[in-house]
Amino acid sequence: MLGRWSAGLPRSSGKCYVFEMDVYDHPTFAMACQQFERVADRLDVPHHQRARIKYPKRSMTVSLPIQRDNGDVEVFAGYRVQHHLTLGATKGGLRYHPEVTLGEVAALAMWMSWKCALTGLPYGGAKGGVACDPRKLSVTELERLTRRYTQEMIPFIGPQVDIMAPDVGTNEQTMAWMMDTYSMQMGHTVPSIVTGKPVALGGSLGRRESTGKGVAYLINRAMDTVGIRASNATAVIQGFGNVGAVATYALANYGLKIIAVSDVNGGIINRSGLDTWKLNQFVAKSGTVVGFPEAEPITNEQLLTTPCDVLVPAALERQITQKNAGRIQCRILAEAANGPTTPEADVILEQRPETFIIPDILCNAGGVIVSYFEWVQDLQSFFWSESEVLDKLNRILEGAFIQTLTLSRKENIPMRLAALSLGVKRVVEAKALRGLYP
Ligand code: NAD
């Protein structure tokens, strides 16, 4: 059974029933739903309309058998969730991580919907994932897995239907294999089927750095807002992958002192400031920040509660929780990851208005904005310079930041509620205008 009907709040016309889908049951999906209900209450979205807006439009689960290098055949679970189709094609990343589930992917797809709407992109949200540990697969195994996943998804995706991009555990090479597999099936080259691919295959200049640079741009705007000077500021970054590492270098370029960073293997700290150039060289060789000579080791928990001006969670969901939210000691919490702060932690942080939050759907929107630019360039076969890309990116981020800040101040509501309200409202309005078919 996919879901059930339960009694909802009574309406003037009589009793109303609310559809609840349990196929997505997962703490991250519960968290996304909790955030949505709060926004829906604020926007007065009628209860009988909420299930239509909240639950994904479509989802697909596939089994992916691949031959391992030793000759064994192993089957992996793959997912793709398309949250809503009201504003155009769906858009969202593909994650390779051992803990990927349908419910987690559905939550990430829902957040993508609100993010695209907040930034005015003509997309619904989507997300995909394969439950695997990419660090334990060889390059050839990863290629076979990616090609098989793409093959299984062909009835479900397309440049006007659903467009994928990199996320945790995937990268430009993953996108190149996807684009090649899809193109071989279509019989002609289709660059617009994915974004975040290599520039040599129709990728956009600036896409690889766009999420991290966008995060740094918004941190700079938040520092202006709360009155922090970059040259006096310190930053701590959790997660040193595509987003976290680029944000680290961009913040260092703005003049901030980076005092601690971490990855899945552990964290490092140097209160006098890490030499990010040397760190870059070290990570390029060793593949991890752990063991960097000019720093001390630090646990994940210590890292998150280190006193600093800017804390950037750039790893996974549900890192700032009821347990540690009271001990976070930053002026700006810049949510580069999706869903790093639980609703319970939000309640604690809201009692500390001195902590300025740049909510995830705004903070990391740079990635999907430049993905949109890449898709537009591919469809037109007309490519832009990097400065054009970054200029357009900053303009969209600036607009979304100002709108969110203005609503937050005008209504005296938290930045997250303001950002989600702007995103959800646009989707609700679009659904109302299109009406309910048939
Ligand atoms: P990535 O795989 O390149 O990097 C993830 C990093 O997090 C790695 O350094 C990994 O070691 C680290 N990590 C994992 N678990 C950790 C833990 N428990 N503690 C500390 N570090 C840990 O992924 P990414 O693309 O940089 O994505 C990071 C976050 O940003 C995710 O939430 C993703 O959804 C979000 N995001 C990514 C993009 C993008 O363009 N790639 C866009 C928007 C949002």
Side-chain angles (χ1 to χ4, degrees):
M1 191 175 70
L2 283 180
R4 60 186 174 275
W5 293 92
S6 63
L9 295 182
R11 283 191 290 158
S12 51
S13 55
K15 212 170 190 182
C16 122
Y17 288 88
V18 178
F19 186 56
E20 287 172 21
M21 296 187 91
D22 37 26
V23 70
Y24 300 113
D25 277 357
H26 185 272
T28 307
F29 189 69
M31 174 179 155
C33 290
Q34 217 175 319
Q35 290 175 346
F36 169 78
E37 291 296 338
R38 188 175 178 197
V39 176
D41 285 345
R42 187 185 162 268
L43 296 176
D44 281 332
V45 178
H47 282 265
H48 65 278
Q49 287 179 12
R50 293 188 186 184
R52 182 182 171 211
I53 300 158
K54 178 169 74 175
Y55 289 115
K57 180 69 189 166
R58 301 176 184 151
S59 57
M60 176 121 136
T61 301
V62 290
S63 61
L64 305 167
I66 63 149
Q67 190 160 39
R68 300 293 302 261
D69 291 343
N70 65 6
D72 290 352
V73 173
E74 192 169 340
V75 178
F76 294 87
Y79 309 97
R80 185 72 182 168
V81 175
Q82 297 169 356
H83 182 250
H84 81 82
L85 314 176
T86 310
L87 287 164
T90 51
K91 185 86 191 77
L94 172 65
R95 176 173 291 196
Y96 287 178
H97 191 275
E99 279 152 38
V100 161
T101 65
L102 181 64
E104 181 194 52
V105 171
L108 292 162
M110 198 194 312
W111 286 324
M112 279 302 291
S113 285
W114 315 144
K115 188 186 305 181
C116 292
L118 169 67
T119 48
L121 306 183
Y123 292 138
K127 206 79 181 188
V130 177
C132 69
D133 188 343
R135 293 174 306 165
K136 294 191 178 146
L137 295 171
S138 69
V139 173
T140 48
E141 289 169 339
L142 279 171
E143 177 173 353
R144 286 195 286 276
L145 184 61
T146 303
R147 289 187 182 279
R148 186 65 192 235
Y149 175 85
T150 311
Q151 177 68 48
E152 299 297 343
M153 288 295 156
I154 281 181
F156 204 55
I157 59 175
Q160 301 297 339
V161 182
D162 184 14
I163 306 122
M164 303 212 198
D167 190 75
V168 174
T170 57
N171 55 27
E172 286 184 359
Q173 180 60 70
T174 322
M175 294 304 114
W177 291 324
M178 295 193 84
M179 183 267 215
D180 181 67
T181 306
Y182 187 84
S183 299
M184 294 307 278
Q185 296 300 319
M186 295 302 123
H188 58 100
T189 299
V190 190
S192 52
I193 185 61
V194 289
T195 59
K197 58 192 168 293
V199 172
L201 295 179
S204 177
L205 292 169
R207 169 61 185 91
R208 189 188 303 154
E209 304 82 16
S210 57
T211 314
K213 279 194 176 168
V215 168
Y217 177 87
L218 291 166
I219 289 171
N220 208 23
R221 294 294 288 110
M223 287 195 302
D224 283 348
T225 308
V226 300
I228 297 175
R229 280 165 64 106
S231 54
N232 295 336
T234 53
V236 167
I237 292 101
Q238 182 203 37
F240 206 70
N242 174 33
V243 178
V246 173
T248 300
Y249 304 132
L251 289 174
N253 278 343
Y254 280 124
L256 282 86
K257 195 194 286 179
I258 312 297
I259 57 170
V261 297
S262 70
D263 62 26
V264 69
N265 303 304
I268 53 164
I269 186 164
N270 179 342
R271 287 192 169 78
S272 312
L274 294 160
D275 182 328
T276 52
W277 191 84
K278 285 189 188 162
L279 182 63
N280 185 5
Q281 307 288 307
F282 180 84
V283 174
K285 273 197 200 130
S286 67
T288 175
V289 299
V290 174
F292 182 60
E294 296 174 14
E296 304 295 319
I298 185 174
T299 65
N300 188 41
E301 206 47 36
Q302 287 167 331
L303 177 121
L304 290 174
T305 54
T306 296
C308 59
D309 293 295
V310 182
L311 175 63
V312 187
L316 296 171
E317 304 91 63
R318 293 183 292 119
Q319 297 298 304
I320 299 168
T321 64
Q322 208 170 6
K323 285 193 187 141
N324 59 14
R327 289 179 287 119
I328 300 284
Q329 299 185 63
C330 61
R331 292 285 310 285
I332 295 170
L333 175 61
E335 296 182 337
N338 287 304
T341 309
T342 64
E344 295 75 23
D346 263 339
V347 172
I348 297 167
L349 292 172
E350 280 167 23
Q351 284 153 15
R352 299 169 49 187
E354 68 280 7
T355 308
F356 184 95
I357 299 180
I358 313 174
D360 51 2
I361 64 163
L362 171 63
C363 192
N364 66 37
V368 71
I369 294 169
V370 178
S371 273
Y372 165 63
F373 297 160
E374 181 173 328
W375 179 71
V376 168
Q377 292 171 75
D378 287 338
L379 291 175
Q380 301 184 344
S381 297
F382 180 66
F383 293 89
W384 312 345
S385 69
E386 187 168 0
S387 60
E388 266 176 289
V389 169
L390 293 178
D391 185 48
K392 286 185 169 70
L393 166 66
N394 290 348
R395 263 190 278 157
I396 295 184
L397 286 178
E398 180 67 24
F401 179 79
I402 294 293
Q403 279 184 53
T404 306
L405 186 64
T406 306
L407 182 63
S408 161
R409 288 191 166 164
K410 188 167 147 237
E411 308 263 325
N412 195 20
I413 57 174
M415 284 287 281
R416 184 184 320 287
L417 189 54
L420 286 168
S421 297
L422 290 164
V424 172
K425 189 164 181 256
R426 182 162 185 227
V427 176
V428 169
E429 285 172 355
K431 280 195 185 286
L433 284 167
R434 285 188 63 160
L436 184 58
Y437 179 87

